[in-house]
Amino acid sequence: MTNSDYLWWRDGVIYQIYPRSFMDSNGDGVGDLPGITSKLDYVADLGVDAIWLSPINVSPMYDFGYDIADYEDIDPIFGARADFDHLIAEAHQRGLKIMMDLVINHSSHLHAWFKESRSSRHNPKADWYIWKDKPADRKYPNNWASAFGGPAWEWDETRQQFYYHMFLKEQPDLNWRSPDLRRAVFGSIKFWLDRGVDGFRLDVVNGYFKDAQLRDNPPRFTLNPFTIETQRQQRIYDCDQPELFDVYREFRALLDSYSERGSVGEVMSDDPKRVASYVGKDKLHMAFNFGFMHQPWRPLAFQQAITAWDSAVASDAWPCYVLSNHDNPRHVTRHGEGPFADERAKVAAALLLTLRGTPFLYMGEEIAMRSPRLARNDLADPYDKQLWPFHKRRDSSRTPMQWDDSPNAGFTSGAPWLPVGSNNKIGIAAQQDDPNSVLNFYRALLKLRRESPGLRRGKFHPLIEKPVTAMLYLRETEEQTMLVALSFFGHDTLAPLPAGQWQRRLSTHPGGVISAGTLTLAPFEATILELNKV
Ligand code: NOJ
């Protein structure tokens, strides 16, 4: 491969920003677009290629932006359209692409479309949402449950009908079977493409269509008493319907009519085959495989998740990988924190950034930010609140970015909307000049990935069939062979080294010795070697 076929969404690395928590420029305690623009140099210096912004559209914030009340405007809490235009221009000047979050499975109940739709049974938008009469023989139209708990149907007094909401009742689902609705949504997508947006992350991308007959989902057996209703159903009728592919085809054709646009879908599924079925030509550019993200700290578990995903994604498609996002505790916390948290964070970074597939980083993971324990009174997220005390997944990953050790970690001069994590030592300022910091390790990895065709595009070959302490794999193209060795273990461990002259390109333990046939790895060592071609 040559540099001329470098495609940002395929060869690059994408950095997720949760705008409420990145940088606050006006002291209201909530991050905003001018705040993000002021930190673009930091993001560009890190060495990533693109930024995915969690939603910034007008929203009453019942689900913190994932409930959109105007698809074509920016919420005043984040700024104005002019601030967004400025952000795009400044990002582009630094070689950074911008992806927006496209939340088009549902809107806010305060969107003008829903207000009109619910005003009567006979208005031009009456069928833009999913409405159903009260059944004679049961309480709700069917057994579908809300992903946030409780039934997915809400009674509307005016229409004397139920409407369907896959998430909160303040997030009614759009009816993608309405041609007018579909046209209106595509109009808004085009609106942002014309303003220079480079791509989209599509929320709940396998949910747009529900079974036309609204059939009941069959039950699913589980021994876990803490699951919510959606996890006790086989979700065969409220998502993953075949009509989706026609929408993807139209979406892809629209993106392809512009130059170098990209997309990534959030698929509600841990099944790599199902997720992969949505990616490729005429479909999405990429989709998240959350199966990888939820692995325990064991090399075999990760390796199996990678090989399953690698083989599920078709040859005309491209995988991507993510370890943390705004919906789950950060991976450093999930992997156990403790005295070796930073060491494990480096191993995880080396894994994520050396796989065959586009890595997505979640803001703050480059400094190994933890997910702090939050008190009940600190919670803002409706999902966390509803399921307290069993569920503390989302707010803890959304706490403000830790820039330095000033009050509120330099995030705001006001009162932050969520508490700042207490561990200031991990702030960016403290790590900037420390050659051994997690931050500088991320920077070195990002640089090496960018420079190495093997790491960007090479085939993935695991070298140990059933790894117990360390994972070893090759990333190979015709021109380059790279070897990645990752110790998941707190003691020295020996790993088999294939024949050849290996040169150390990057390591958490740069002094280590490479002897023929064996690589000795220190506890939690991450080392990347390159084969000298003769
Ligand atoms: C997935 C998003 O990541 C999550 O934050 C949101 O609550 C739901 N979709 C509903 O939009």
Side-chain angles (χ1 to χ4, degrees):
M1 135 184 179
T2 60
N3 268 338
S4 63
D5 73 352
Y6 188 99
L7 248 185
W8 66 271
W9 61 265
R10 181 190 58 199
D11 301 287
V13 176
I14 300 173
Y15 185 79
Q16 181 192 356
I17 289 182
Y18 192 73
R20 294 183 69 87
S21 303
F22 194 62
M23 184 65 202
D24 174 21
S25 73
N26 61 3
D28 67 357
V30 177
D32 47 44
L33 297 180
I36 296 172
T37 307
S38 73
K39 295 292 186 186
L40 284 177
D41 282 338
Y42 166 77
V43 179
D45 286 350
L46 198 56
V48 299
D49 299 70
I51 294 172
W52 147 33
L53 295 174
S54 280
I56 52 170
N57 297 105
V58 176
S59 166
M61 304 285 165
Y62 283 82
D63 191 16
F64 294 107
Y66 283 93
D67 49 326
I68 292 179
D70 183 346
Y71 285 106
E72 296 183 10
D73 214 343
I74 306 292
D75 196 278
I77 205 153
F78 297 124
R81 265 198 218 151
D83 295 311
F84 187 58
D85 292 342
H86 183 56
L87 165 60
I88 294 195
E90 291 289 319
H92 286 171
Q93 227 169 51
R94 291 164 177 79
L96 292 168
K97 306 284 184 185
I98 296 287
M99 297 178 97
M100 282 183 97
D101 219 308
L102 203 52
V103 189
I104 51 177
N105 173 70
H106 47 269
S107 73
S108 158
H109 68 312
L110 299 182
H111 196 297
W113 297 347
F114 189 66
K115 287 187 187 165
E116 189 175 339
S117 188
R118 80 188 312 181
S119 67
S120 70
R121 291 192 187 200
H122 309 284
N123 65 72
K125 299 192 176 53
D127 70 343
W128 283 31
Y129 292 82
I130 300 169
W131 294 98
K132 190 72 187 158
D133 290 339
K134 191 174 175 42
D137 53 343
R138 60 197 293 189
K139 196 166 173 196
Y140 297 108
N142 63 21
N143 72 348
W144 298 352
S146 156
F148 288 160
W153 294 97
E154 183 69 14
W155 181 249
D156 184 80
E157 281 300 332
T158 310
R159 277 184 66 142
Q160 290 288 304
Q161 280 183 313
F162 284 101
Y163 67 85
Y164 173 73
H165 57 93
M166 190 179 284
F167 296 92
L168 297 174
K169 66 181 188 336
E170 292 82 7
Q171 295 169 297
D173 279 44
L174 298 170
N175 178 19
W176 276 87
R177 291 199 171 82
S178 155
D180 289 343
L181 173 279
R182 181 164 165 166
R183 219 170 295 122
V185 172
F186 270 95
S188 295
I189 299 173
K190 193 164 176 333
F191 174 87
W192 292 111
L193 288 168
D194 289 339
R195 283 191 110 84
V197 166
D198 300 286
F200 300 96
R201 174 265 189 193
L202 294 93
D203 193 61
V204 202
V205 76
N206 57 332
Y208 300 172
F209 288 88
K210 335 313 169 188
D211 176 47
Q213 299 168 50
L214 303 181
R215 280 171 284 188
D216 278 352
N217 278 328
R220 178 175 166 263
F221 179 70
T222 167
L223 287 173
N224 181 349
F226 300 117
T227 51
I228 60 171
E229 186 56 29
T230 43
Q231 290 156 336
R232 281 184 260 126
Q233 295 185 359
Q234 297 174 48
R235 300 188 61 183
I236 57 173
Y237 291 128
D238 61 346
C239 54
D240 294 309
Q241 301 303 299
E243 292 95 325
L244 282 168
F245 292 97
D246 192 48
V247 170
Y248 298 163
R249 208 170 297 121
E250 184 178 347
F251 174 75
R252 184 62 182 256
L254 175 63
L255 262 62
D256 288 350
S257 69
Y258 292 75
S259 104
E260 286 209 15
R261 300 308 207 258
S263 63
V264 60
E266 181 213 33
V267 180
M268 293 176 295
S269 172
D270 279 353
D271 172 4
K273 288 208 180 92
R274 181 177 296 186
V275 179
S277 70
Y278 296 126
V279 190
K281 202 168 155 291
D282 291 337
K283 303 187 225 174
L284 306 173
H285 297 76
M286 301 178 282
F288 292 123
N289 167 29
F290 294 125
F292 171 79
M293 174 166 182
H294 293 128
Q295 294 311 315
W297 188 250
R298 287 204 303 270
L300 179 59
F302 278 106
Q303 183 164 306
Q304 284 172 338
I306 296 161
T307 40
W309 182 222
D310 207 55
S311 58
V313 174
S315 58
D316 69 344
W318 184 247
C320 66
Y321 287 92
V322 62
L323 282 172
S324 283
N325 65 19
H326 64 291
D327 286 335
N328 296 280
R330 290 173 174 278
H331 63 266
V332 181
T333 300
R334 281 188 279 118
H335 294 154
E337 293 194 8
F340 294 105
D342 282 356
E343 284 73 8
R344 275 196 300 267
K346 288 181 183 173
V347 174
L351 173 68
L352 182 63
L353 288 165
T354 59
L355 290 176
R356 180 182 162 271
T358 303
F360 278 74
L361 308 184
Y362 180 51
M363 62 174 212
E365 77 170 71
E366 73 276 19
I367 51 168
M369 261 177 71
R370 280 48 161 175
S371 282
R373 256 175 220 281
L374 297 176
R376 173 71 180 82
N377 284 343
D378 288 331
L379 295 184
D381 178 35
Y383 191 26
D384 281 8
K385 281 185 186 170
Q386 185 157 340
L387 300 185
W388 175 266
F390 301 112
H391 191 277
K392 315 159 215 172
R393 297 191 314 168
R394 307 207 315 172
D395 277 332
S396 73
S397 66
R398 300 173 180 178
T399 59
M401 192 69 175
Q402 289 170 236
W403 295 101
D404 56 39
D405 61 3
S406 66
N408 297 324
F411 161 70
T412 180
S413 56
W417 75 286
L418 276 178
V420 175
S422 57
N423 191 344
N424 278 337
K425 197 176 75 188
I426 66 173
I428 288 160
Q431 297 198 17
Q432 208 68 269
D433 301 323
D434 172 0
N436 294 320
S437 66
V438 177
L439 176 61
N440 282 319
F441 190 62
Y442 265 85
R443 285 195 176 127
L445 279 167
L446 284 157
K447 182 165 179 288
L448 183 63
R449 183 176 178 96
R450 180 179 288 266
E451 289 168 0
S452 313
L455 292 182
R456 287 203 310 270
R457 300 281 289 283
K459 288 204 180 91
F460 172 82
H461 284 304
L463 292 175
I464 305 173
E465 204 192 325
K466 293 219 159 96
V468 177
T469 55
M471 194 170 159
L472 249 77
Y473 50 91
L474 298 179
R475 295 292 318 285
E476 270 188 298
T477 58
E478 265 173 33
E479 62 193 289
Q480 192 180 43
T481 301
M482 307 292 280
L483 184 148
V484 181
L486 306 172
S487 167
F488 284 63
F489 194 46
H491 300 279
D492 283 356
T493 182
L494 296 180
L497 191 63
Q501 279 229 320
W502 294 95
Q503 180 202 344
R504 197 178 285 264
R505 294 296 307 274
L506 180 62
S507 180
T508 50
H509 295 72
V513 180
I514 306 175
S515 46
T518 315
L519 189 61
T520 307
L521 295 171
F524 303 113
E525 174 169 344
T527 283
I528 302 169
L529 309 177
E530 180 174 357
L531 184 65
N532 285 339
K533 300 252 169 175
V534 276

